[in-house]
C-alpha cells in the first residue's frame, strides 16, 4: 500500500523550489528587519515579526522542513505495510532495486 498525505499530516512544501526560497528570503528578511528596526521604531518595528512568521508558514524550522519536502516531492515515496513503513525512490518498490 502506498501512503499519501493524510488529513492528520501537514505539508509545508511549496509548488517549486524557487518559490519556496523566495518565501524564505521574504520571511527571514522581515524577521531580521523587525529586530533591526526595533531600536529605531520601538514596538512598531516589531509589527513586521508576525508577517515574517506568516511568510515562513510558522517558524524557521517549518520553513526548513518545507524546503526538504519541496525538494523531495515526486522523488521519494513512502510505502507502508502492517508492521513498518519504508522510504523509497519514486517508481521503485520497497524490496527492489
Amino acid at each position: 500500500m502506498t501512503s499519501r498525505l493524510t488529513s492528520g499530516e501537514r505539508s509545508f512544501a511549496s509548488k517549486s523550489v524557487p518559490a519556496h526560497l523566495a518565501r524564505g528570503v521574504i520571511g527571514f528578511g522581515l524577521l531580521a528587519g523587525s529586530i533591526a528596526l526595533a531600536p529605531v521604531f520601538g514596538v512598531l518595528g516589531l509589527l513586521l515579526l508576525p508577517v515574517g512568521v506568516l511568510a515562513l508558514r510558522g517558524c524557521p524550522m517549518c520553513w526548513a522542513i518545507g524546503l526538504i519536502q519541496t525538494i523531495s516531492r515526486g522523488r521519494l515515496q513512502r510505502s507502508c505495510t502492517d508492521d513498518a513503513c519504508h522510504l523509497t525512490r519514486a517508481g521503485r518498490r520497497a524490496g527492489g532495486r
Side-chain angles (χ1 to χ4, degrees), residues 64-84:
I65 291 169
L67 179 61
I68 293 168
Q69 287 177 341
T70 303
I71 291 170
S72 69
R73 178 175 277 163
R75 295 181 185 174
L76 298 176
Q77 180 176 337
R78 183 173 56 187
S79 303
C80 295
T81 59
D82 290 335
D83 58 343

Side-chain angles (χ1 to χ4, degrees), residues 36-53:
L37 293 175
V40 178
F41 294 106
V43 178
L44 292 176
L46 294 177
L47 292 176
L48 295 176
L49 193 65
V51 180
V53 170

Side-chain angles (χ1 to χ4, degrees), residues 24-38:
V25 167
I26 292 168
F28 286 115
L30 288 171
L31 290 178
S34 71
I35 293 169
L37 293 175

